[in-house]
PDB file of all heavy atoms in Angstrom:
ATOM      1  N   LYS A  35     -24.400  -3.740   8.559  1.00 97.00           N
ATOM      2  CA  LYS A  35     -24.284  -4.873   9.445  1.00 97.00           C
ATOM      3  C   LYS A  35     -23.941  -6.140   8.725  1.00 97.00           C
ATOM      4  O   LYS A  35     -24.219  -7.311   9.240  1.00 97.00           O
ATOM      5  CB  LYS A  35     -25.595  -5.026  10.225  1.00 97.00           C
ATOM      6  CG  LYS A  35     -26.004  -3.846  11.118  1.00 97.00           C
ATOM      7  CD  LYS A  35     -25.452  -4.211  12.545  1.00 97.00           C
ATOM      8  CE  LYS A  35     -25.533  -3.037  13.531  1.00 97.00           C
ATOM      9  NZ  LYS A  35     -24.321  -2.323  13.716  1.00 97.00           N
ATOM     10  N   MET A  36     -23.475  -5.966   7.573  1.00 97.00           N
ATOM     11  CA  MET A  36     -23.314  -7.254   6.716  1.00 97.00           C
ATOM     12  C   MET A  36     -22.371  -8.280   7.296  1.00 97.00           C
ATOM     13  O   MET A  36     -22.497  -9.506   6.954  1.00 97.00           O
ATOM     14  CB  MET A  36     -23.039  -6.857   5.314  1.00 97.00           C
ATOM     15  CG  MET A  36     -21.665  -6.280   4.980  1.00 97.00           C
ATOM     16  SD  MET A  36     -21.439  -6.256   3.086  1.00 97.00           S
ATOM     17  CE  MET A  36     -22.242  -4.823   2.716  1.00 97.00           C
ATOM     18  N   ALA A  37     -21.400  -7.878   8.090  1.00 98.00           N
ATOM     19  CA  ALA A  37     -20.424  -8.830   8.625  1.00 98.00           C
ATOM     20  C   ALA A  37     -20.688  -9.098  10.136  1.00 98.00           C
ATOM     21  O   ALA A  37     -19.927  -9.647  10.853  1.00 98.00           O
ATOM     22  CB  ALA A  37     -19.042  -8.249   8.515  1.00 98.00           C
ATOM     23  N   GLU A  38     -21.999  -8.820  10.535  1.00 98.00           N
ATOM     24  CA  GLU A  38     -22.313  -9.192  11.981  1.00 98.00           C
ATOM     25  C   GLU A  38     -22.081 -10.663  12.329  1.00 98.00           C
ATOM     26  O   GLU A  38     -22.292 -11.563  11.507  1.00 98.00           O
ATOM     27  CB  GLU A  38     -23.841  -8.920  12.162  1.00 98.00           C
ATOM     28  CG  GLU A  38     -24.175  -8.713  13.627  1.00 98.00           C
ATOM     29  CD  GLU A  38     -25.655  -8.049  13.716  1.00 98.00           C
ATOM     30  OE1 GLU A  38     -26.364  -8.048  12.722  1.00 98.00           O
ATOM     31  OE2 GLU A  38     -25.732  -7.553  14.844  1.00 98.00           O
ATOM     32  N   GLY A  39     -21.380 -10.824  13.432  1.00 98.00           N
ATOM     33  CA  GLY A  39     -21.067 -12.146  13.970  1.00 98.00           C
ATOM     34  C   GLY A  39     -19.703 -12.691  13.331  1.00 98.00           C
ATOM     35  O   GLY A  39     -19.221 -13.764  13.748  1.00 98.00           O
ATOM     36  N   LYS A  40     -19.067 -11.955  12.497  1.00 98.00           N
ATOM     37  CA  LYS A  40     -17.834 -12.332  11.918  1.00 98.00           C
ATOM     38  C   LYS A  40     -16.636 -11.611  12.693  1.00 98.00           C
ATOM     39  O   LYS A  40     -16.899 -10.417  13.240  1.00 98.00           O
ATOM     40  CB  LYS A  40     -17.726 -11.916  10.456  1.00 98.00           C
ATOM     41  CG  LYS A  40     -18.765 -12.529   9.587  1.00 98.00           C
ATOM     42  CD  LYS A  40     -18.570 -14.014   9.324  1.00 98.00           C
ATOM     43  CE  LYS A  40     -19.566 -14.587   8.390  1.00 98.00           C
ATOM     44  NZ  LYS A  40     -19.537 -15.988   8.364  1.00 98.00           N
ATOM     45  N   ILE A  41     -15.575 -12.305  12.802  1.00 98.00           N
ATOM     46  CA  ILE A  41     -14.402 -11.770  13.535  1.00 98.00           C
ATOM     47  C   ILE A  41     -13.117 -11.662  12.634  1.00 98.00           C
ATOM     48  O   ILE A  41     -12.782 -12.577  11.899  1.00 98.00           O
ATOM     49  CB  ILE A  41     -14.061 -12.569  14.761  1.00 98.00           C
ATOM     50  CG1 ILE A  41     -15.248 -12.710  15.692  1.00 98.00           C
ATOM     51  CG2 ILE A  41     -12.769 -12.202  15.407  1.00 98.00           C
ATOM     52  CD1 ILE A  41     -15.068 -13.725  16.805  1.00 98.00           C
ATOM     53  N   LEU A  42     -12.488 -10.466  12.587  1.00 98.00           N
ATOM     54  CA  LEU A  42     -11.174 -10.234  11.991  1.00 98.00           C
ATOM     55  C   LEU A  42     -10.161 -10.251  13.103  1.00 98.00           C
ATOM     56  O   LEU A  42     -10.251  -9.663  14.071  1.00 98.00           O
ATOM     57  CB  LEU A  42     -11.237  -8.766  11.397  1.00 98.00           C
ATOM     58  CG  LEU A  42      -9.882  -8.293  10.878  1.00 98.00           C
ATOM     59  CD1 LEU A  42      -9.434  -8.858   9.571  1.00 98.00           C
ATOM     60  CD2 LEU A  42      -9.719  -6.830  10.900  1.00 98.00           C
ATOM     61  N   ALA A  43      -9.170 -11.140  12.723  1.00 98.00           N
ATOM     62  CA  ALA A  43      -7.890 -11.134  13.617  1.00 98.00           C
ATOM     63  C   ALA A  43      -6.907 -10.254  12.895  1.00 98.00           C
ATOM     64  O   ALA A  43      -6.502 -10.551  11.674  1.00 98.00           O
ATOM     65  CB  ALA A  43      -7.392 -12.415  13.720  1.00 98.00           C
ATOM     66  N   ALA A  44      -6.413  -9.210  13.482  1.00 98.00           N
ATOM     67  CA  ALA A  44      -5.369  -8.332  13.013  1.00 98.00           C
ATOM     68  C   ALA A  44      -4.008  -8.693  13.679  1.00 98.00           C
ATOM     69  O   ALA A  44      -3.871  -8.386  14.989  1.00 98.00           O
ATOM     70  CB  ALA A  44      -5.739  -6.841  13.267  1.00 98.00           C
ATOM     71  N   LEU A  45      -3.195  -9.392  13.019  1.00 97.00           N
ATOM     72  CA  LEU A  45      -1.808  -9.718  13.559  1.00 97.00           C
ATOM     73  C   LEU A  45      -0.736  -8.810  12.892  1.00 97.00           C
ATOM     74  O   LEU A  45      -0.563  -8.834  11.661  1.00 97.00           O
ATOM     75  CB  LEU A  45      -1.452 -11.200  13.079  1.00 97.00           C
ATOM     76  CG  LEU A  45      -2.538 -12.248  13.412  1.00 97.00           C
ATOM     77  CD1 LEU A  45      -2.028 -13.672  13.003  1.00 97.00           C
ATOM     78  CD2 LEU A  45      -2.808 -12.198  14.978  1.00 97.00           C
ATOM     79  N   PHE A  46      -0.323  -7.851  13.724  1.00 96.00           N
ATOM     80  CA  PHE A  46       0.628  -6.863  13.115  1.00 96.00           C
ATOM     81  C   PHE A  46       1.974  -6.945  13.958  1.00 96.00           C
ATOM     82  O   PHE A  46       2.139  -6.452  15.012  1.00 96.00           O
ATOM     83  CB  PHE A  46       0.050  -5.415  13.301  1.00 96.00           C
ATOM     84  CG  PHE A  46      -0.889  -5.196  12.120  1.00 96.00           C
ATOM     85  CD1 PHE A  46      -2.118  -5.892  11.989  1.00 96.00           C
ATOM     86  CD2 PHE A  46      -0.418  -4.261  11.171  1.00 96.00           C
ATOM     87  CE1 PHE A  46      -2.910  -5.655  10.822  1.00 96.00           C
ATOM     88  CE2 PHE A  46      -1.263  -4.142  10.073  1.00 96.00           C
ATOM     89  CZ  PHE A  46      -2.481  -4.792   9.908  1.00 96.00           C
ATOM     90  N   TYR A  47       2.957  -7.594  13.274  1.00 94.00           N
ATOM     91  CA  TYR A  47       4.248  -7.865  13.938  1.00 94.00           C
ATOM     92  C   TYR A  47       5.321  -6.869  13.382  1.00 94.00           C
ATOM     93  O   TYR A  47       6.494  -7.151  13.562  1.00 94.00           O
ATOM     94  CB  TYR A  47       4.718  -9.258  13.603  1.00 94.00           C
ATOM     95  CG  TYR A  47       3.686 -10.314  14.090  1.00 94.00           C
ATOM     96  CD1 TYR A  47       3.245 -11.430  13.310  1.00 94.00           C
ATOM     97  CD2 TYR A  47       3.086 -10.218  15.461  1.00 94.00           C
ATOM     98  CE1 TYR A  47       2.301 -12.361  13.801  1.00 94.00           C
ATOM     99  CE2 TYR A  47       2.210 -11.162  15.865  1.00 94.00           C
ATOM    100  CZ  TYR A  47       1.797 -12.200  15.105  1.00 94.00           C
ATOM    101  OH  TYR A  47       0.974 -13.106  15.542  1.00 94.00           O
ATOM    102  N   GLU A  48       4.803  -5.792  12.780  1.00 92.00           N
ATOM    103  CA  GLU A  48       5.802  -4.684  12.372  1.00 92.00           C
ATOM    104  C   GLU A  48       4.901  -3.474  12.651  1.00 92.00           C
ATOM    105  O   GLU A  48       3.774  -3.519  12.709  1.00 92.00           O
ATOM    106  CB  GLU A  48       6.005  -4.741  10.849  1.00 92.00           C
ATOM    107  CG  GLU A  48       7.266  -5.228  10.417  1.00 92.00           C
ATOM    108  CD  GLU A  48       7.620  -4.869   9.062  1.00 92.00           C
ATOM    109  OE1 GLU A  48       6.679  -4.452   8.175  1.00 92.00           O
ATOM    110  OE2 GLU A  48       8.750  -4.869   8.649  1.00 92.00           O
ATOM    111  N   PRO A  49       5.653  -2.325  12.868  1.00 88.00           N
ATOM    112  CA  PRO A  49       4.836  -1.073  13.177  1.00 88.00           C
ATOM    113  C   PRO A  49       3.848  -0.726  12.173  1.00 88.00           C
ATOM    114  O   PRO A  49       4.059  -0.939  10.942  1.00 88.00           O
ATOM    115  CB  PRO A  49       5.971   0.013  13.226  1.00 88.00           C
ATOM    116  CG  PRO A  49       7.228  -0.703  13.486  1.00 88.00           C
ATOM    117  CD  PRO A  49       7.084  -2.054  12.800  1.00 88.00           C
ATOM    118  N   SER A  50       2.751  -0.175  12.653  1.00 90.00           N
ATOM    119  CA  SER A  50       1.717   0.323  11.715  1.00 90.00           C
ATOM    120  C   SER A  50       0.714   1.176  12.433  1.00 90.00           C
ATOM    121  O   SER A  50       0.495   0.870  13.655  1.00 90.00           O
ATOM    122  CB  SER A  50       0.882  -0.926  11.268  1.00 90.00           C
ATOM    123  OG  SER A  50      -0.353  -0.626  10.509  1.00 90.00           O
ATOM    124  N   THR A  51       0.160   2.174  11.828  1.00 92.00           N
ATOM    125  CA  THR A  51      -0.949   2.948  12.428  1.00 92.00           C
ATOM    126  C   THR A  51      -2.030   2.813  11.444  1.00 92.00           C
ATOM    127  O   THR A  51      -3.112   2.279  11.720  1.00 92.00           O
ATOM    128  CB  THR A  51      -0.478   4.415  12.597  1.00 92.00           C
ATOM    129  OG1 THR A  51       0.731   4.370  13.448  1.00 92.00           O
ATOM    130  CG2 THR A  51      -1.633   5.242  13.171  1.00 92.00           C
ATOM    131  N   ARG A  52      -1.835   3.405  10.235  1.00 93.00           N
ATOM    132  CA  ARG A  52      -2.845   3.507   9.217  1.00 93.00           C
ATOM    133  C   ARG A  52      -3.436   2.102   8.835  1.00 93.00           C
ATOM    134  O   ARG A  52      -4.689   1.873   8.756  1.00 93.00           O
ATOM    135  CB  ARG A  52      -2.320   4.018   7.884  1.00 93.00           C
ATOM    136  CG  ARG A  52      -2.432   5.512   7.700  1.00 93.00           C
ATOM    137  CD  ARG A  52      -1.316   5.903   6.717  1.00 93.00           C
ATOM    138  NE  ARG A  52      -0.105   5.679   7.387  1.00 93.00           N
ATOM    139  CZ  ARG A  52       0.439   6.536   8.251  1.00 93.00           C
ATOM    140  NH1 ARG A  52      -0.202   7.593   8.595  1.00 93.00           N
ATOM    141  NH2 ARG A  52       1.580   6.224   8.877  1.00 93.00           N
ATOM    142  N   THR A  53      -2.634   1.229   8.564  1.00 96.00           N
ATOM    143  CA  THR A  53      -3.066  -0.046   8.015  1.00 96.00           C
ATOM    144  C   THR A  53      -3.951  -0.774   8.968  1.00 96.00           C
ATOM    145  O   THR A  53      -5.019  -1.364   8.665  1.00 96.00           O
ATOM    146  CB  THR A  53      -1.879  -0.903   7.350  1.00 96.00           C
ATOM    147  OG1 THR A  53      -1.216  -0.081   6.462  1.00 96.00           O
ATOM    148  CG2 THR A  53      -2.395  -2.116   6.679  1.00 96.00           C
ATOM    149  N   ARG A  54      -3.371  -0.953  10.179  1.00 96.00           N
ATOM    150  CA  ARG A  54      -4.081  -1.743  11.177  1.00 96.00           C
ATOM    151  C   ARG A  54      -5.458  -1.072  11.582  1.00 96.00           C
ATOM    152  O   ARG A  54      -6.529  -1.688  11.542  1.00 96.00           O
ATOM    153  CB  ARG A  54      -3.251  -1.962  12.416  1.00 96.00           C
ATOM    154  CG  ARG A  54      -3.950  -2.854  13.439  1.00 96.00           C
ATOM    155  CD  ARG A  54      -3.111  -3.228  14.606  1.00 96.00           C
ATOM    156  NE  ARG A  54      -2.646  -2.120  15.370  1.00 96.00           N
ATOM    157  CZ  ARG A  54      -3.396  -1.439  16.306  1.00 96.00           C
ATOM    158  NH1 ARG A  54      -4.585  -1.891  16.643  1.00 96.00           N
ATOM    159  NH2 ARG A  54      -2.871  -0.538  17.009  1.00 96.00           N
ATOM    160  N   LEU A  55      -5.384   0.263  11.784  1.00 97.00           N
ATOM    161  CA  LEU A  55      -6.546   0.944  12.203  1.00 97.00           C
ATOM    162  C   LEU A  55      -7.559   0.958  11.033  1.00 97.00           C
ATOM    163  O   LEU A  55      -8.765   0.825  11.266  1.00 97.00           O
ATOM    164  CB  LEU A  55      -6.287   2.307  12.718  1.00 97.00           C
ATOM    165  CG  LEU A  55      -5.510   2.435  14.033  1.00 97.00           C
ATOM    166  CD1 LEU A  55      -5.262   3.775  14.428  1.00 97.00           C
ATOM    167  CD2 LEU A  55      -6.115   1.601  15.209  1.00 97.00           C
ATOM    168  N   SER A  56      -7.182   1.031   9.845  1.00 97.00           N
ATOM    169  CA  SER A  56      -8.150   0.971   8.756  1.00 97.00           C
ATOM    170  C   SER A  56      -8.665  -0.357   8.550  1.00 97.00           C
ATOM    171  O   SER A  56      -9.865  -0.504   8.244  1.00 97.00           O
ATOM    172  CB  SER A  56      -7.536   1.687   7.499  1.00 97.00           C
ATOM    173  OG  SER A  56      -7.050   0.859   6.558  1.00 97.00           O
ATOM    174  N   PHE A  57      -7.918  -1.465   8.743  1.00 98.00           N
ATOM    175  CA  PHE A  57      -8.494  -2.770   8.682  1.00 98.00           C
ATOM    176  C   PHE A  57      -9.595  -2.980   9.800  1.00 98.00           C
ATOM    177  O   PHE A  57     -10.579  -3.400   9.572  1.00 98.00           O
ATOM    178  CB  PHE A  57      -7.446  -3.833   8.916  1.00 98.00           C
ATOM    179  CG  PHE A  57      -6.880  -4.423   7.528  1.00 98.00           C
ATOM    180  CD1 PHE A  57      -5.657  -4.271   7.157  1.00 98.00           C
ATOM    181  CD2 PHE A  57      -7.793  -5.210   6.746  1.00 98.00           C
ATOM    182  CE1 PHE A  57      -5.134  -4.770   6.042  1.00 98.00           C
ATOM    183  CE2 PHE A  57      -7.284  -5.686   5.650  1.00 98.00           C
ATOM    184  CZ  PHE A  57      -6.015  -5.580   5.257  1.00 98.00           C
ATOM    185  N   GLU A  58      -9.130  -2.499  10.959  1.00 98.00           N
ATOM    186  CA  GLU A  58     -10.080  -2.722  12.085  1.00 98.00           C
ATOM    187  C   GLU A  58     -11.316  -1.929  11.969  1.00 98.00           C
ATOM    188  O   GLU A  58     -12.412  -2.350  12.138  1.00 98.00           O
ATOM    189  CB  GLU A  58      -9.309  -2.339  13.472  1.00 98.00           C
ATOM    190  CG  GLU A  58      -8.122  -3.273  13.763  1.00 98.00           C
ATOM    191  CD  GLU A  58      -7.669  -3.090  15.111  1.00 98.00           C
ATOM    192  OE1 GLU A  58      -8.054  -2.253  15.925  1.00 98.00           O
ATOM    193  OE2 GLU A  58      -6.693  -3.821  15.418  1.00 98.00           O
ATOM    194  N   THR A  59     -11.179  -0.549  11.495  1.00 98.00           N
ATOM    195  CA  THR A  59     -12.332   0.193  11.182  1.00 98.00           C
ATOM    196  C   THR A  59     -13.098  -0.344  10.211  1.00 98.00           C
ATOM    197  O   THR A  59     -14.474  -0.404  10.284  1.00 98.00           O
ATOM    198  CB  THR A  59     -11.857   1.701  10.775  1.00 98.00           C
ATOM    199  OG1 THR A  59     -10.932   2.142  11.756  1.00 98.00           O
ATOM    200  CG2 THR A  59     -13.046   2.589  10.700  1.00 98.00           C
ATOM    201  N   ALA A  60     -12.591  -0.838   9.089  1.00 98.00           N
ATOM    202  CA  ALA A  60     -13.339  -1.439   8.067  1.00 98.00           C
ATOM    203  C   ALA A  60     -14.217  -2.645   8.604  1.00 98.00           C
ATOM    204  O   ALA A  60     -15.381  -2.662   8.186  1.00 98.00           O
ATOM    205  CB  ALA A  60     -12.359  -1.918   6.943  1.00 98.00           C
ATOM    206  N   MET A  61     -13.705  -3.529   9.381  1.00 98.00           N
ATOM    207  CA  MET A  61     -14.503  -4.597   9.940  1.00 98.00           C
ATOM    208  C   MET A  61     -15.578  -4.077  10.779  1.00 98.00           C
ATOM    209  O   MET A  61     -16.656  -4.573  10.747  1.00 98.00           O
ATOM    210  CB  MET A  61     -13.543  -5.584  10.685  1.00 98.00           C
ATOM    211  CG  MET A  61     -14.170  -6.871  11.049  1.00 98.00           C
ATOM    212  SD  MET A  61     -15.056  -7.576   9.652  1.00 98.00           S
ATOM    213  CE  MET A  61     -15.201  -9.330  10.289  1.00 98.00           C
ATOM    214  N   LEU A  62     -15.270  -3.112  11.606  1.00 98.00           N
ATOM    215  CA  LEU A  62     -16.247  -2.612  12.543  1.00 98.00           C
ATOM    216  C   LEU A  62     -17.400  -1.877  11.875  1.00 98.00           C
ATOM    217  O   LEU A  62     -18.566  -2.049  12.167  1.00 98.00           O
ATOM    218  CB  LEU A  62     -15.616  -1.563  13.600  1.00 98.00           C
ATOM    219  CG  LEU A  62     -14.577  -2.230  14.565  1.00 98.00           C
ATOM    220  CD1 LEU A  62     -13.843  -1.207  15.418  1.00 98.00           C
ATOM    221  CD2 LEU A  62     -15.242  -3.199  15.525  1.00 98.00           C
ATOM    222  N   ARG A  63     -17.024  -1.122  10.757  1.00 98.00           N
ATOM    223  CA  ARG A  63     -18.037  -0.460   9.949  1.00 98.00           C
ATOM    224  C   ARG A  63     -18.902  -1.475   9.109  1.00 98.00           C
ATOM    225  O   ARG A  63     -20.011  -1.135   8.674  1.00 98.00           O
ATOM    226  CB  ARG A  63     -17.512   0.592   8.937  1.00 98.00           C
ATOM    227  CG  ARG A  63     -16.761   1.627   9.640  1.00 98.00           C
ATOM    228  CD  ARG A  63     -17.703   2.754  10.241  1.00 98.00           C
ATOM    229  NE  ARG A  63     -17.011   3.875  10.769  1.00 98.00           N
ATOM    230  CZ  ARG A  63     -17.403   4.642  11.749  1.00 98.00           C
ATOM    231  NH1 ARG A  63     -18.458   4.329  12.422  1.00 98.00           N
ATOM    232  NH2 ARG A  63     -16.663   5.700  12.036  1.00 98.00           N
ATOM    233  N   LEU A  64     -18.443  -2.687   8.992  1.00 98.00           N
ATOM    234  CA  LEU A  64     -19.231  -3.734   8.297  1.00 98.00           C
ATOM    235  C   LEU A  64     -20.066  -4.510   9.343  1.00 98.00           C
ATOM    236  O   LEU A  64     -20.768  -5.458   8.981  1.00 98.00           O
ATOM    237  CB  LEU A  64     -18.301  -4.749   7.616  1.00 98.00           C
ATOM    238  CG  LEU A  64     -17.682  -4.268   6.323  1.00 98.00           C
ATOM    239  CD1 LEU A  64     -16.572  -5.333   5.859  1.00 98.00           C
ATOM    240  CD2 LEU A  64     -18.637  -4.001   5.207  1.00 98.00           C
ATOM    241  N   GLY A  65     -19.922  -4.108  10.605  1.00 98.00           N
ATOM    242  CA  GLY A  65     -20.697  -4.679  11.690  1.00 98.00           C
ATOM    243  C   GLY A  65     -20.080  -5.846  12.294  1.00 98.00           C
ATOM    244  O   GLY A  65     -20.679  -6.579  13.205  1.00 98.00           O
ATOM    245  N   GLY A  66     -18.800  -6.196  11.934  1.00 98.00           N
ATOM    246  CA  GLY A  66     -18.132  -7.331  12.449  1.00 98.00           C
ATOM    247  C   GLY A  66     -17.315  -6.886  13.772  1.00 98.00           C
ATOM    248  O   GLY A  66     -17.482  -5.782  14.272  1.00 98.00           O
ATOM    249  N   SER A  67     -16.554  -7.801  14.339  1.00 98.00           N
ATOM    250  CA  SER A  67     -15.673  -7.677  15.539  1.00 98.00           C
ATOM    251  C   SER A  67     -14.255  -7.908  15.183  1.00 98.00           C
ATOM    252  O   SER A  67     -13.907  -8.468  14.121  1.00 98.00           O
ATOM    253  CB  SER A  67     -16.108  -8.503  16.590  1.00 98.00           C
ATOM    254  OG  SER A  67     -17.438  -8.538  16.752  1.00 98.00           O
ATOM    255  N   VAL A  68     -13.417  -7.388  16.008  1.00 98.00           N
ATOM    256  CA  VAL A  68     -11.957  -7.446  15.860  1.00 98.00           C
ATOM    257  C   VAL A  68     -11.211  -7.990  16.962  1.00 98.00           C
ATOM    258  O   VAL A  68     -11.560  -7.616  18.132  1.00 98.00           O
ATOM    259  CB  VAL A  68     -11.434  -6.024  15.568  1.00 98.00           C
ATOM    260  CG1 VAL A  68      -9.891  -5.939  15.342  1.00 98.00           C
ATOM    261  CG2 VAL A  68     -12.031  -5.407  14.234  1.00 98.00           C
ATOM    262  N   ILE A  69     -10.274  -8.863  16.758  1.00 97.00           N
ATOM    263  CA  ILE A  69      -9.279  -9.211  17.784  1.00 97.00           C
ATOM    264  C   ILE A  69      -7.923  -8.926  17.313  1.00 97.00           C
ATOM    265  O   ILE A  69      -7.772  -9.026  15.980  1.00 97.00           O
ATOM    266  CB  ILE A  69      -9.410 -10.677  18.286  1.00 97.00           C
ATOM    267  CG1 ILE A  69      -9.289 -11.646  17.081  1.00 97.00           C
ATOM    268  CG2 ILE A  69     -10.691 -10.944  19.035  1.00 97.00           C
ATOM    269  CD1 ILE A  69      -9.301 -13.166  17.497  1.00 97.00           C
ATOM    270  N   SER A  70      -6.963  -8.459  18.119  1.00 95.00           N
ATOM    271  CA  SER A  70      -5.714  -8.195  17.491  1.00 95.00           C
ATOM    272  C   SER A  70      -4.557  -8.501  18.410  1.00 95.00           C
ATOM    273  O   SER A  70      -4.603  -8.638  19.568  1.00 95.00           O
ATOM    274  CB  SER A  70      -5.607  -6.732  17.135  1.00 95.00           C
ATOM    275  OG  SER A  70      -6.250  -5.856  17.923  1.00 95.00           O
ATOM    276  N   GLU A  71      -3.403  -8.735  17.699  1.00 92.00           N
ATOM    277  CA  GLU A  71      -2.121  -8.936  18.358  1.00 92.00           C
ATOM    278  C   GLU A  71      -1.235  -7.966  17.681  1.00 92.00           C
ATOM    279  O   GLU A  71      -0.918  -7.980  16.444  1.00 92.00           O
ATOM    280  CB  GLU A  71      -1.673 -10.342  18.151  1.00 92.00           C
ATOM    281  CG  GLU A  71      -0.424 -10.691  18.882  1.00 92.00           C
ATOM    282  CD  GLU A  71      -0.277 -12.139  19.009  1.00 92.00           C
ATOM    283  OE1 GLU A  71      -0.046 -12.843  18.033  1.00 92.00           O
ATOM    284  OE2 GLU A  71      -0.266 -12.674  20.137  1.00 92.00           O
ATOM    285  N   THR A  72      -0.733  -7.071  18.497  1.00 87.00           N
ATOM    286  CA  THR A  72       0.005  -5.891  17.859  1.00 87.00           C
ATOM    287  C   THR A  72       1.475  -5.795  18.324  1.00 87.00           C
ATOM    288  O   THR A  72       2.099  -4.786  17.888  1.00 87.00           O
ATOM    289  CB  THR A  72      -0.662  -4.593  18.240  1.00 87.00           C
ATOM    290  OG1 THR A  72      -0.709  -4.369  19.672  1.00 87.00           O
ATOM    291  CG2 THR A  72      -2.040  -4.495  17.597  1.00 87.00           C
TER     292      THR A  72
END
Side-chain angles (χ1 to χ4, degrees):
K35 291 271 170 260
M36 69 170 78
E38 197 161 20
K40 303 283 185 194
I41 297 175
L42 165 82
L45 307 180
F46 277 70
Y47 302 135
E48 254 198 344
S50 172
T51 302
R52 264 155 298 279
T53 306
R54 181 171 64 81
L55 293 182
S56 96
F57 262 115
E58 295 191 358
T59 305
M61 188 51 160
L62 296 171
R63 296 287 188 211
L64 286 169
S67 310
V68 176
I69 53 174
S70 37
E71 184 160 67
T72 56

